[in-house]
């Protein structure tokens, strides 16, 4: 038993020492500074070299100011949930990033009253026959029941490939509107692959169940959406 205990203790020790931790002192402009002139200090813990780093920022007086994760340190790539705090410990803001792209943000005043809630979405668009992307901001974007993975499961299960159709692999892009009540309306082809395949894609998208509607300035709104369907 003693040998087993010592072996486990040794393994725990190796694991603990395997995570590198660095401390950086930062000025009021968040640029590197000396300890004496700093306004903040940052503790960076390497979870997996080149893939995941835990970041904790502190006020000079020791109170937690921010926590989050980087997927890269050079350059810094924000990835996942970030939380900011007032010196009294109350939450100031919460943002979510995906590979350095802001997905959503929330903020509160010093009394705990929420002052902001926004979601950002990178929409696939077709302009002048070319595929492009555009960021759109809303309080809450329309959401398919269960999320996008469930949406594509539905499409995959319902889509019946037309027989004896000659086509080049590509993407059918369907554009539609999620109405104020979550229903799907004004379904159209934004990018075609083949008339028969386009027709089937339209049929499937028109059969989608209701979504959670989009919200802007506290009210349900009509939102234009695009869904690309890969045809191989």
């Amino acid at each position: 038993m003693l040998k087993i205990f010592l072996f486990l203790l040794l393994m725990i020790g190796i694991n603990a020492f395997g995570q590198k931790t660095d401390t950086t002192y930062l000025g009021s402009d968040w640029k590197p500074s000396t300890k004496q002139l700093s306004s903040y200090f940052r503790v960076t813990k390497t979870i997996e070299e080149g893939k995941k780093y835990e970041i904790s920022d502190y006020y000079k007086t020791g109170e937690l100011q921010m926590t989050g994760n980087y997927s890269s340190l050079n350059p810094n790539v924000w990835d996942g949930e970030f939380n900011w705090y007032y010196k009294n410990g109350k939450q100031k803001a919460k943002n979510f990033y995906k590979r350095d792209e802001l997905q959503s943000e929330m903020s509160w005043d010093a009394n705990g009253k929420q002052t902001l809630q926004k979601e950002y979405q990178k929409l696939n668009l077709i302009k002048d026959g070319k595929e492009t992307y555009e960021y759109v901001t809303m309080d809450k974007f329309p959401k398919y029941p269960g999320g996008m993975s469930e949406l594509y499961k539905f499409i995959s299960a319902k889509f019946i490939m037309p027989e004896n159709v000659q086509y080049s692999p590509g993407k059918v892009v369907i554009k539609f509107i999620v109405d104020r009540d979550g229903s799907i309306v004004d379904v159209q082809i934004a990018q075609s692959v083949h008339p028969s395949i386009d027709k089937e894609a339209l049929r499937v998208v028109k059969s989608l169940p209701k979504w959670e509607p989009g919200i802007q300035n506290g009210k349900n709104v009509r939102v234009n959406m695009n869904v690309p369907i890969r045809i191989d």
Side-chain angles (χ1 to χ4, degrees), residues 89-201:
K90 290 186 177 181
Q91 185 145 24
K92 184 176 184 180
K94 176 187 289 187
N95 291 4
F96 189 84
Y97 295 84
K98 185 176 181 180
R99 296 294 298 174
D100 228 20
E101 293 181 351
L102 181 61
Q103 306 292 304
S104 64
E105 60 179 336
M106 302 173 68
S107 61
W108 297 263
D109 63 21
N111 296 317
K113 182 180 178 181
Q114 188 171 348
T115 57
L116 177 69
Q117 180 173 340
K118 292 289 183 183
E119 292 185 6
Y120 303 88
Q121 188 164 321
K122 191 176 183 180
L123 297 182
N124 176 282
L125 303 173
I126 302 297
K127 290 185 177 181
D128 300 324
K130 296 181 179 179
E131 186 174 20
T132 185
Y133 295 91
E134 181 176 296
Y135 278 94
V136 180
T137 305
M138 294 186 67
D139 297 345
K140 182 180 179 182
F141 277 90
K143 182 180 178 182
Y144 182 82
M148 294 303 290
S149 62
E150 291 300 316
L151 168 64
Y152 280 103
K153 285 181 183 178
F154 180 95
I155 292 173
S156 178
K158 299 293 183 180
F159 191 94
I160 300 173
M161 191 66 182
E163 297 181 357
N164 302 319
V165 173
Q166 294 184 344
Y167 65 94
S168 298
K171 281 191 290 188
V172 179
V173 178
I174 309 295
K175 67 178 182 178
F176 56 92
I177 294 174
V178 179
D179 217 336
R180 294 181 181 88
D181 64 352
S183 58
I184 305 303
V185 299
D186 197 20
V187 183
Q188 300 178 42
I189 295 292
Q191 180 171 295
S192 173
V193 167
H194 184 281
S196 297
I197 295 173
D198 298 346
K199 183 178 179 180
E200 176 62 10

Side-chain angles (χ1 to χ4, degrees), residues 70-87:
Y70 288 171
S71 56
S72 168
L73 290 180
N74 188 23
N76 292 342
V77 177
W78 299 39
D79 212 348
E81 184 176 288
F82 281 71
N83 291 280
W84 286 263
Y85 302 92
Y86 292 101
K87 291 189 74 172

